[in-house]
Amino acid sequence: TQKDYDTKSPMGTFDSTPPGAPLCKHPGASTKATRVMAGKSLATTYTIGAKHGGGHCQWAISYDQGKTSVVIHTLIRECLRGATDGGTFSIPVPIPKGLPNGKATFMWIWNNAIGNRELYCNCAEIEIVGGSNVKKYTGVAPLIANYGPGSVKIPE
């Protein structure tokens, strides 16, 4: 699968996303994963082209290159609160202590509140340290909305 490095544009829209389109956009090619400590917060910052009235954000973790993922943090309606168009948005994301150690994909998923029904999703390769030795982490799957005609459509 070819990686999409254009992190400022949406993954797709409710009306135009092709079936089977990849979910992640990556900030750039990297051969080294960022080490992240389980049980601590990860400082994250996003460059925002247009904030589209904010919306819903979720952060998730995947241990199988994004085939399945589990939500670790959610902001409903408050995501991008205080952000300005063309500015940045920063938030500490709590990393659960029980996450398995090892390589993982960290995902930021944003369903915008105003404008075209779009889904944004940026991903980064990370390595969890100081976590658990369990092989699997389970929980709620992220809400993948506004991502093709077969997905949930969140109205304005």
Side-chain angles (χ1 to χ4, degrees):
T1 304
Q2 187 172 349
K3 291 186 178 180
D4 184 343
Y5 297 111
D6 180 10
T7 60
K8 290 185 183 178
S9 59
M11 295 303 304
T13 67
F14 183 79
D15 297 320
S16 67
T17 303
L23 191 57
C24 284
K25 286 185 181 254
H26 294 263
S30 175
T31 57
K32 185 175 180 184
T34 300
R35 295 185 74 167
V36 176
M37 180 68 70
K40 303 286 184 185
S41 287
L42 175 63
T44 65
T45 300
Y46 309 92
T47 301
I48 307 302
K51 65 181 179 175
H52 295 293
H56 311 303
C57 285
Q58 291 183 308
W59 289 263
I61 194 97
S62 172
Y63 287 92
D64 58 9
Q65 288 87 37
K67 292 179 188 124
T68 61
S69 52
V70 175
V71 173
I72 60 172
H73 188 60
T74 300
L75 278 178
I76 302 294
R77 289 185 288 280
E78 298 295 317
C79 195
L80 304 183
R81 171 117 19 227
T84 58
D85 288 348
T88 60
F89 174 71
S90 297
I91 184 169
V93 177
I95 305 299
K97 182 134 184 77
L99 286 181
N101 292 318
K103 295 196 184 301
T105 302
F106 179 75
M107 305 169 76
W108 172 60
I109 303 153
W110 170 38
N111 285 284
N112 63 322
I114 297 172
N116 292 336
R117 308 315 324 136
E118 299 171 333
L119 176 73
Y120 292 77
C121 182
N122 294 338
C123 298
E125 302 308 313
I126 63 171
E127 180 182 0
I128 300 293
V129 296
S132 73
N133 292 320
V134 299
K135 298 293 182 201
K136 192 169 186 179
Y137 188 75
T138 60
V140 174
L143 172 64
I144 306 302
N146 304 331
Y147 193 59
S151 69
V152 172
K153 183 176 185 180
I154 299 175
E156 281 191 85

Short mmCIF file of all heavy atoms in Angstrom, two decimals, residues 62-125:
data_model
loop_
_atom_site.label_atom_id
_atom_site.label_comp_id
_atom_site.label_asym_id
_atom_site.label_seq_id
_atom_site.Cartn_x
_atom_site.Cartn_y
_atom_site.Cartn_z
N SER A 62 -3.08 0.97 16.87
CA SER A 62 -3.21 -0.26 16.08
C SER A 62 -1.89 -1.01 16.14
O SER A 62 -0.82 -0.42 16.04
CB SER A 62 -3.54 0.07 14.63
OG SER A 62 -3.50 -1.10 13.85
N TYR A 63 -1.99 -2.31 16.31
CA TYR A 63 -0.80 -3.16 16.32
C TYR A 63 -0.70 -4.00 15.06
O TYR A 63 0.16 -4.88 14.96
CB TYR A 63 -0.81 -4.06 17.56
CG TYR A 63 -0.51 -3.29 18.83
CD1 TYR A 63 -1.54 -2.75 19.59
CD2 TYR A 63 0.79 -3.08 19.26
CE1 TYR A 63 -1.27 -2.03 20.75
CE2 TYR A 63 1.07 -2.37 20.41
CZ TYR A 63 0.04 -1.85 21.15
OH TYR A 63 0.31 -1.14 22.29
N ASP A 64 -1.58 -3.77 14.07
CA ASP A 64 -1.56 -4.56 12.83
C ASP A 64 -1.62 -3.66 11.59
O ASP A 64 -2.34 -3.92 10.65
CB ASP A 64 -2.69 -5.59 12.83
CG ASP A 64 -4.07 -4.98 12.98
OD1 ASP A 64 -4.20 -3.72 12.92
OD2 ASP A 64 -5.05 -5.73 13.15
N GLN A 65 -0.84 -2.58 11.61
CA GLN A 65 -0.75 -1.61 10.50
C GLN A 65 -2.11 -1.01 10.13
O GLN A 65 -2.37 -0.75 8.96
CB GLN A 65 -0.11 -2.24 9.26
CG GLN A 65 1.37 -2.49 9.39
CD GLN A 65 1.66 -3.85 10.01
OE1 GLN A 65 0.97 -4.82 9.76
NE2 GLN A 65 2.69 -3.91 10.82
N GLY A 66 -2.98 -0.80 11.10
CA GLY A 66 -4.24 -0.11 10.87
C GLY A 66 -5.40 -0.99 10.44
O GLY A 66 -6.49 -0.48 10.18
N LYS A 67 -5.20 -2.30 10.35
CA LYS A 67 -6.33 -3.17 9.99
C LYS A 67 -7.41 -3.12 11.06
O LYS A 67 -8.60 -3.09 10.76
CB LYS A 67 -5.84 -4.61 9.79
CG LYS A 67 -4.96 -4.77 8.58
CD LYS A 67 -4.48 -6.21 8.45
CE LYS A 67 -3.45 -6.29 7.35
NZ LYS A 67 -2.20 -6.85 7.79
N THR A 68 -6.99 -3.13 12.32
CA THR A 68 -7.90 -2.94 13.45
C THR A 68 -7.26 -1.90 14.37
O THR A 68 -6.04 -1.78 14.41
CB THR A 68 -8.13 -4.25 14.25
OG1 THR A 68 -6.89 -4.70 14.79
CG2 THR A 68 -8.75 -5.33 13.37
N SER A 69 -8.10 -1.16 15.07
CA SER A 69 -7.58 -0.15 15.99
C SER A 69 -8.53 0.01 17.16
O SER A 69 -9.70 -0.33 17.08
CB SER A 69 -7.34 1.18 15.28
OG SER A 69 -8.49 1.58 14.59
N VAL A 70 -7.98 0.54 18.25
CA VAL A 70 -8.73 0.73 19.50
C VAL A 70 -8.58 2.19 19.93
O VAL A 70 -7.46 2.72 19.96
CB VAL A 70 -8.20 -0.21 20.60
CG1 VAL A 70 -8.88 0.04 21.93
CG2 VAL A 70 -8.36 -1.67 20.19
N VAL A 71 -9.69 2.82 20.28
CA VAL A 71 -9.68 4.21 20.75
C VAL A 71 -9.02 4.29 22.13
O VAL A 71 -9.32 3.51 23.02
CB VAL A 71 -11.12 4.77 20.82
CG1 VAL A 71 -11.13 6.15 21.47
CG2 VAL A 71 -11.74 4.82 19.45
N ILE A 72 -8.11 5.28 22.27
CA ILE A 72 -7.51 5.52 23.58
C ILE A 72 -7.90 6.88 24.15
O ILE A 72 -7.71 7.13 25.34
CB ILE A 72 -5.97 5.36 23.54
CG1 ILE A 72 -5.33 6.33 22.55
CG2 ILE A 72 -5.59 3.91 23.23
CD1 ILE A 72 -3.81 6.36 22.59
N HIS A 73 -8.48 7.77 23.31
CA HIS A 73 -8.91 9.09 23.79
C HIS A 73 -9.93 9.66 22.80
O HIS A 73 -9.79 9.48 21.60
CB HIS A 73 -7.71 10.02 23.91
CG HIS A 73 -7.99 11.34 24.57
ND1 HIS A 73 -8.46 11.44 25.86
CD2 HIS A 73 -7.88 12.60 24.11
CE1 HIS A 73 -8.63 12.72 26.16
NE2 HIS A 73 -8.28 13.44 25.12
N THR A 74 -10.95 10.37 23.33
CA THR A 74 -12.01 10.94 22.49
C THR A 74 -12.34 12.36 22.95
O THR A 74 -12.40 12.62 24.15
CB THR A 74 -13.29 10.08 22.58
OG1 THR A 74 -12.99 8.76 22.13
CG2 THR A 74 -14.42 10.65 21.76
N LEU A 75 -12.58 13.24 22.00
CA LEU A 75 -13.13 14.58 22.25
C LEU A 75 -14.36 14.73 21.37
O LEU A 75 -14.24 14.77 20.14
CB LEU A 75 -12.14 15.67 21.89
CG LEU A 75 -11.06 16.04 22.88
CD1 LEU A 75 -10.16 17.12 22.29
CD2 LEU A 75 -11.65 16.52 24.18
N ILE A 76 -15.53 14.82 21.96
CA ILE A 76 -16.77 14.99 21.21
C ILE A 76 -17.11 16.47 21.17
O ILE A 76 -17.17 17.13 22.20
CB ILE A 76 -17.93 14.20 21.88
CG1 ILE A 76 -17.59 12.72 21.97
CG2 ILE A 76 -19.25 14.43 21.15
CD1 ILE A 76 -17.48 12.01 20.64
N ARG A 77 -17.33 17.01 19.98
CA ARG A 77 -17.71 18.39 19.71
C ARG A 77 -16.66 19.43 20.13
O ARG A 77 -16.75 20.57 19.73
CB ARG A 77 -19.06 18.74 20.33
CG ARG A 77 -20.22 18.07 19.65
CD ARG A 77 -21.55 18.52 20.22
NE ARG A 77 -21.84 18.02 21.54
CZ ARG A 77 -22.30 16.81 21.82
NH1 ARG A 77 -22.52 15.97 20.86
NH2 ARG A 77 -22.54 16.43 23.04
N GLU A 78 -15.70 19.09 20.95
CA GLU A 78 -14.73 20.06 21.47
C GLU A 78 -13.41 20.05 20.73
O GLU A 78 -12.53 20.85 21.03
CB GLU A 78 -14.48 19.78 22.96
CG GLU A 78 -15.71 19.93 23.83
CD GLU A 78 -16.21 21.36 23.88
OE1 GLU A 78 -15.39 22.29 24.00
OE2 GLU A 78 -17.44 21.55 23.78
N CYS A 79 -13.24 19.15 19.78
CA CYS A 79 -11.96 19.06 19.10
C CYS A 79 -11.70 20.32 18.29
O CYS A 79 -12.60 20.86 17.65
CB CYS A 79 -11.93 17.83 18.19
SG CYS A 79 -10.26 17.43 17.68
N LEU A 80 -10.50 20.79 18.34
CA LEU A 80 -10.03 22.01 17.68
C LEU A 80 -10.59 23.28 18.31
O LEU A 80 -10.47 24.37 17.75
CB LEU A 80 -10.31 22.00 16.18
CG LEU A 80 -9.76 20.82 15.40
CD1 LEU A 80 -10.06 20.98 13.92
CD2 LEU A 80 -8.28 20.62 15.63
N ARG A 81 -11.21 23.17 19.48
CA ARG A 81 -11.70 24.35 20.18
C ARG A 81 -10.53 25.28 20.44
O ARG A 81 -9.51 24.89 20.96
CB ARG A 81 -12.38 23.97 21.49
CG ARG A 81 -12.71 25.14 22.36
CD ARG A 81 -14.10 25.49 22.71
NE ARG A 81 -15.13 24.53 22.57
CZ ARG A 81 -16.29 24.82 21.98
NH1 ARG A 81 -16.48 26.01 21.46
NH2 ARG A 81 -17.23 23.93 21.91
N GLY A 82 -10.65 26.52 20.01
CA GLY A 82 -9.60 27.51 20.20
C GLY A 82 -8.58 27.55 19.07
O GLY A 82 -7.74 28.44 19.02
N ALA A 83 -8.65 26.59 18.15
CA ALA A 83 -7.72 26.60 17.02
C ALA A 83 -8.13 27.69 16.03
O ALA A 83 -9.30 28.08 15.97
CB ALA A 83 -7.72 25.24 16.32
N THR A 84 -7.17 28.18 15.29
CA THR A 84 -7.46 29.17 14.25
C THR A 84 -7.11 28.57 12.89
O THR A 84 -6.20 27.74 12.79
CB THR A 84 -6.65 30.46 14.47
OG1 THR A 84 -5.27 30.14 14.47
CG2 THR A 84 -7.02 31.14 15.78
N ASP A 85 -7.83 29.00 11.86
CA ASP A 85 -7.51 28.55 10.50
C ASP A 85 -6.06 28.93 10.21
O ASP A 85 -5.64 30.05 10.45
CB ASP A 85 -8.44 29.20 9.48
CG ASP A 85 -9.86 28.65 9.55
OD1 ASP A 85 -10.07 27.61 10.22
OD2 ASP A 85 -10.76 29.24 8.93
N GLY A 86 -5.29 27.97 9.73
CA GLY A 86 -3.89 28.21 9.43
C GLY A 86 -2.99 28.10 10.64
O GLY A 86 -1.78 28.26 10.52
N GLY A 87 -3.56 27.82 11.81
CA GLY A 87 -2.77 27.72 13.03
C GLY A 87 -2.50 26.28 13.42
O GLY A 87 -2.55 25.37 12.59
N THR A 88 -2.22 26.09 14.69
CA THR A 88 -1.97 24.74 15.19
C THR A 88 -2.92 24.42 16.34
O THR A 88 -3.51 25.32 16.95
CB THR A 88 -0.52 24.58 15.69
OG1 THR A 88 -0.28 25.51 16.75
CG2 THR A 88 0.49 24.78 14.58
N PHE A 89 -3.07 23.15 16.61
CA PHE A 89 -3.89 22.65 17.71
C PHE A 89 -3.03 21.64 18.46
O PHE A 89 -2.49 20.71 17.86
CB PHE A 89 -5.15 21.98 17.17
CG PHE A 89 -6.00 21.30 18.21
CD1 PHE A 89 -6.71 22.04 19.13
CD2 PHE A 89 -6.08 19.92 18.26
CE1 PHE A 89 -7.50 21.43 20.09
CE2 PHE A 89 -6.88 19.29 19.21
CZ PHE A 89 -7.59 20.05 20.13
N SER A 90 -2.86 21.85 19.77
CA SER A 90 -2.05 20.95 20.59
C SER A 90 -2.91 20.35 21.69
O SER A 90 -3.77 21.03 22.26
CB SER A 90 -0.88 21.70 21.23
OG SER A 90 -0.02 22.20 20.24
N ILE A 91 -2.66 19.09 21.96
CA ILE A 91 -3.38 18.40 23.03
C ILE A 91 -2.53 17.24 23.54
O ILE A 91 -1.92 16.52 22.75
CB ILE A 91 -4.76 17.89 22.55
CG1 ILE A 91 -5.53 17.26 23.71
CG2 ILE A 91 -4.62 16.95 21.38
CD1 ILE A 91 -6.97 16.96 23.40
N PRO A 92 -2.48 17.08 24.88
CA PRO A 92 -1.81 15.90 25.41
C PRO A 92 -2.77 14.71 25.32
O PRO A 92 -3.93 14.81 25.71
CB PRO A 92 -1.51 16.27 26.86
CG PRO A 92 -2.54 17.30 27.21
CD PRO A 92 -2.89 18.00 25.93
N VAL A 93 -2.31 13.60 24.79
CA VAL A 93 -3.13 12.40 24.65
C VAL A 93 -2.65 11.38 25.68
O VAL A 93 -1.49 10.96 25.64
CB VAL A 93 -3.03 11.82 23.23
CG1 VAL A 93 -3.84 10.54 23.12
CG2 VAL A 93 -3.50 12.84 22.21
N PRO A 94 -3.52 10.99 26.62
CA PRO A 94 -3.12 9.99 27.61
C PRO A 94 -2.90 8.63 26.96
O PRO A 94 -3.73 8.17 26.19
CB PRO A 94 -4.29 9.96 28.60
CG PRO A 94 -5.44 10.61 27.91
CD PRO A 94 -4.90 11.46 26.81
N ILE A 95 -1.76 8.03 27.25
CA ILE A 95 -1.42 6.71 26.72
C ILE A 95 -1.66 5.69 27.83
O ILE A 95 -1.02 5.74 28.87
CB ILE A 95 0.06 6.66 26.25
CG1 ILE A 95 0.34 7.78 25.24
CG2 ILE A 95 0.40 5.29 25.70
CD1 ILE A 95 -0.47 7.73 23.97
N PRO A 96 -2.63 4.79 27.64
CA PRO A 96 -2.98 3.84 28.71
C PRO A 96 -1.79 3.00 29.18
O PRO A 96 -0.96 2.57 28.37
CB PRO A 96 -4.05 2.95 28.07
CG PRO A 96 -4.62 3.78 26.96
CD PRO A 96 -3.48 4.61 26.46
N LYS A 97 -1.72 2.77 30.47
CA LYS A 97 -0.64 1.98 31.06
C LYS A 97 -0.66 0.55 30.57
O LYS A 97 0.37 -0.09 30.43
CB LYS A 97 -0.72 2.02 32.58
CG LYS A 97 0.39 1.27 33.26
CD LYS A 97 0.99 2.07 34.37
CE LYS A 97 2.16 1.38 35.01
NZ LYS A 97 3.38 1.47 34.22
N GLY A 98 -1.85 0.01 30.27
CA GLY A 98 -1.98 -1.39 29.89
C GLY A 98 -1.68 -1.71 28.43
O GLY A 98 -1.84 -2.85 28.01
N LEU A 99 -1.25 -0.72 27.65
CA LEU A 99 -0.94 -1.00 26.25
C LEU A 99 0.21 -2.00 26.15
O LEU A 99 1.18 -1.91 26.91
CB LEU A 99 -0.56 0.26 25.49
CG LEU A 99 -1.67 1.23 25.13
CD1 LEU A 99 -1.10 2.43 24.36
CD2 LEU A 99 -2.76 0.56 24.33
N PRO A 100 0.14 -2.91 25.19
CA PRO A 100 1.26 -3.84 25.00
C PRO A 100 2.51 -3.10 24.50
O PRO A 100 2.41 -2.17 23.71
CB PRO A 100 0.75 -4.79 23.92
CG PRO A 100 -0.73 -4.68 23.94
CD PRO A 100 -1.02 -3.26 24.36
N ASN A 101 3.65 -3.54 24.97
CA ASN A 101 4.91 -3.02 24.47
C ASN A 101 5.08 -3.43 23.01
O ASN A 101 4.61 -4.47 22.59
CB ASN A 101 6.08 -3.59 25.28
CG ASN A 101 6.09 -3.07 26.69
OD1 ASN A 101 5.86 -1.89 26.93
ND2 ASN A 101 6.35 -3.95 27.65
N GLY A 102 5.75 -2.58 22.23
CA GLY A 102 6.08 -2.93 20.86
C GLY A 102 5.68 -1.88 19.86
O GLY A 102 5.15 -0.82 20.20
N LYS A 103 5.94 -2.18 18.60
CA LYS A 103 5.64 -1.25 17.50
C LYS A 103 4.13 -1.17 17.27
O LYS A 103 3.43 -2.16 17.35
CB LYS A 103 6.35 -1.70 16.24
CG LYS A 103 7.86 -1.62 16.38
CD LYS A 103 8.54 -1.68 15.04
CE LYS A 103 10.04 -1.70 15.17
NZ LYS A 103 10.63 -0.59 15.83
N ALA A 104 3.66 0.06 17.01
CA ALA A 104 2.23 0.30 16.82
C ALA A 104 2.04 1.50 15.89
O ALA A 104 2.98 2.25 15.63
CB ALA A 104 1.55 0.56 18.16
N THR A 105 0.82 1.67 15.42
CA THR A 105 0.44 2.85 14.65
C THR A 105 -0.45 3.72 15.54
O THR A 105 -1.44 3.25 16.08
CB THR A 105 -0.32 2.47 13.36
OG1 THR A 105 0.52 1.61 12.58
CG2 THR A 105 -0.69 3.70 12.55
N PHE A 106 -0.08 4.98 15.70
CA PHE A 106 -0.84 5.96 16.48
C PHE A 106 -1.67 6.76 15.49
O PHE A 106 -1.13 7.28 14.50
CB PHE A 106 0.14 6.86 17.24
CG PHE A 106 -0.49 7.94 18.07
CD1 PHE A 106 -1.12 7.63 19.26
CD2 PHE A 106 -0.44 9.26 17.65
CE1 PHE A 106 -1.69 8.64 20.04
CE2 PHE A 106 -1.01 10.26 18.42
CZ PHE A 106 -1.63 9.94 19.62
N MET A 107 -2.99 6.85 15.72
CA MET A 107 -3.90 7.47 14.76
C MET A 107 -4.63 8.65 15.39
O MET A 107 -5.09 8.56 16.52
CB MET A 107 -4.94 6.45 14.31
CG MET A 107 -4.36 5.18 13.76
SD MET A 107 -5.61 3.89 13.52
CE MET A 107 -6.40 4.50 12.04
N TRP A 108 -4.77 9.74 14.62
CA TRP A 108 -5.63 10.87 14.97
C TRP A 108 -6.73 10.91 13.93
O TRP A 108 -6.47 11.02 12.74
CB TRP A 108 -4.86 12.18 14.97
CG TRP A 108 -5.72 13.40 15.14
CD1 TRP A 108 -6.53 13.69 16.21
CD2 TRP A 108 -5.86 14.50 14.22
NE1 TRP A 108 -7.16 14.90 16.01
CE2 TRP A 108 -6.77 15.42 14.79
CE3 TRP A 108 -5.32 14.80 12.98
CZ2 TRP A 108 -7.12 16.60 14.18
CZ3 TRP A 108 -5.69 15.99 12.37
CH2 TRP A 108 -6.57 16.88 12.97
N ILE A 109 -7.98 10.82 14.39
CA ILE A 109 -9.13 10.76 13.49
C ILE A 109 -10.03 11.95 13.80
O ILE A 109 -10.42 12.16 14.96
CB ILE A 109 -9.90 9.44 13.71
CG1 ILE A 109 -8.94 8.26 13.48
CG2 ILE A 109 -11.12 9.35 12.81
CD1 ILE A 109 -9.32 7.03 14.23
N TRP A 110 -10.39 12.73 12.77
CA TRP A 110 -11.21 13.93 12.97
C TRP A 110 -12.35 13.93 11.98
O TRP A 110 -12.17 13.88 10.78
CB TRP A 110 -10.33 15.17 12.79
CG TRP A 110 -11.06 16.48 12.73
CD1 TRP A 110 -12.15 16.87 13.46
CD2 TRP A 110 -10.73 17.59 11.90
NE1 TRP A 110 -12.52 18.15 13.13
CE2 TRP A 110 -11.66 18.62 12.17
CE3 TRP A 110 -9.75 17.83 10.95
CZ2 TRP A 110 -11.63 19.85 11.53
CZ3 TRP A 110 -9.72 19.06 10.31
CH2 TRP A 110 -10.64 20.06 10.61
N ASN A 111 -13.58 14.01 12.51
CA ASN A 111 -14.79 14.24 11.72
C ASN A 111 -15.17 15.70 11.91
O ASN A 111 -15.51 16.12 13.03
CB ASN A 111 -15.92 13.33 12.20
CG ASN A 111 -15.72 11.90 11.76
OD1 ASN A 111 -15.92 11.57 10.61
ND2 ASN A 111 -15.29 11.06 12.69
N ASN A 112 -15.08 16.49 10.84
CA ASN A 112 -15.32 17.93 10.95
C ASN A 112 -16.79 18.24 11.23
O ASN A 112 -17.68 17.46 10.92
CB ASN A 112 -14.84 18.65 9.68
CG ASN A 112 -15.59 18.22 8.44
OD1 ASN A 112 -15.93 17.06 8.27
ND2 ASN A 112 -15.85 19.16 7.57
N ALA A 113 -17.03 19.42 11.81
CA ALA A 113 -18.39 19.81 12.21
C ALA A 113 -19.11 20.61 11.14
O ALA A 113 -20.33 20.53 11.03
CB ALA A 113 -18.33 20.62 13.51
N ILE A 114 -18.39 21.42 10.36
CA ILE A 114 -19.02 22.32 9.39
C ILE A 114 -18.35 22.13 8.03
O ILE A 114 -17.13 22.00 7.94
CB ILE A 114 -18.88 23.80 9.83
CG1 ILE A 114 -19.61 24.03 11.15
CG2 ILE A 114 -19.39 24.75 8.76
CD1 ILE A 114 -19.37 25.41 11.75
N GLY A 115 -19.17 22.16 6.98
CA GLY A 115 -18.64 22.06 5.62
C GLY A 115 -18.91 20.70 5.02
O GLY A 115 -19.79 19.96 5.48
N ASN A 116 -18.16 20.36 3.96
CA ASN A 116 -18.31 19.04 3.36
C ASN A 116 -18.15 17.98 4.43
O ASN A 116 -17.36 18.13 5.35
CB ASN A 116 -17.23 18.81 2.27
CG ASN A 116 -17.44 19.69 1.07
OD1 ASN A 116 -18.54 20.15 0.79
ND2 ASN A 116 -16.35 19.95 0.35
N ARG A 117 -18.89 16.91 4.32
CA ARG A 117 -18.79 15.81 5.29
C ARG A 117 -17.49 15.05 5.00
O ARG A 117 -17.42 14.25 4.08
CB ARG A 117 -20.00 14.88 5.21
CG ARG A 117 -21.36 15.56 5.31
CD ARG A 117 -21.57 16.64 6.39
NE ARG A 117 -20.91 16.43 7.65
CZ ARG A 117 -20.26 17.39 8.31
NH1 ARG A 117 -20.19 18.61 7.85
NH2 ARG A 117 -19.68 17.14 9.45
N GLU A 118 -16.44 15.34 5.78
CA GLU A 118 -15.10 14.82 5.53
C GLU A 118 -14.57 14.06 6.72
O GLU A 118 -14.99 14.28 7.86
CB GLU A 118 -14.14 15.98 5.21
CG GLU A 118 -14.53 16.76 3.98
CD GLU A 118 -13.71 18.02 3.78
OE1 GLU A 118 -13.21 18.60 4.77
OE2 GLU A 118 -13.58 18.43 2.62
N LEU A 119 -13.60 13.21 6.44
CA LEU A 119 -12.86 12.49 7.48
C LEU A 119 -11.38 12.77 7.27
O LEU A 119 -10.86 12.66 6.16
CB LEU A 119 -13.10 10.98 7.38
CG LEU A 119 -12.28 10.15 8.37
CD1 LEU A 119 -12.83 10.31 9.79
CD2 LEU A 119 -12.25 8.69 7.97
N TYR A 120 -10.72 13.17 8.34
CA TYR A 120 -9.28 13.36 8.34
C TYR A 120 -8.68 12.29 9.24
O TYR A 120 -9.25 11.96 10.29
CB TYR A 120 -8.92 14.75 8.90
CG TYR A 120 -9.35 15.89 8.03
CD1 TYR A 120 -10.68 16.31 8.00
CD2 TYR A 120 -8.44 16.56 7.22
CE1 TYR A 120 -11.08 17.36 7.19
CE2 TYR A 120 -8.84 17.61 6.42
CZ TYR A 120 -10.16 18.00 6.41
OH TYR A 120 -10.55 19.05 5.61
N CYS A 121 -7.53 11.77 8.88
CA CYS A 121 -6.86 10.79 9.72
C CYS A 121 -5.37 10.83 9.44
O CYS A 121 -4.95 10.56 8.31
CB CYS A 121 -7.41 9.39 9.46
SG CYS A 121 -6.67 8.13 10.53
N ASN A 122 -4.59 11.18 10.44
CA ASN A 122 -3.14 11.18 10.33
C ASN A 122 -2.59 10.09 11.24
O ASN A 122 -3.13 9.84 12.32
CB ASN A 122 -2.56 12.53 10.75
CG ASN A 122 -2.95 13.63 9.80
OD1 ASN A 122 -3.30 13.38 8.65
ND2 ASN A 122 -2.91 14.86 10.28
N CYS A 123 -1.52 9.46 10.80
CA CYS A 123 -0.94 8.35 11.54
C CYS A 123 0.56 8.52 11.69
O CYS A 123 1.20 9.18 10.87
CB CYS A 123 -1.21 7.03 10.82
SG CYS A 123 -2.95 6.64 10.68
N ALA A 124 1.10 7.90 12.73
CA ALA A 124 2.54 7.89 12.95
C ALA A 124 2.93 6.54 13.53
O ALA A 124 2.17 5.95 14.31
CB ALA A 124 2.93 9.00 13.91
N GLU A 125 4.09 6.09 13.14
CA GLU A 125 4.61 4.83 13.69
C GLU A 125 5.25 5.14 15.03
O GLU A 125 6.05 6.08 15.15
CB GLU A 125 5.61 4.20 12.73
CG GLU A 125 5.04 3.93 11.35
CD GLU A 125 3.73 3.15 11.36
OE1 GLU A 125 3.63 2.13 12.08
OE2 GLU A 125 2.79 3.56 10.67
#
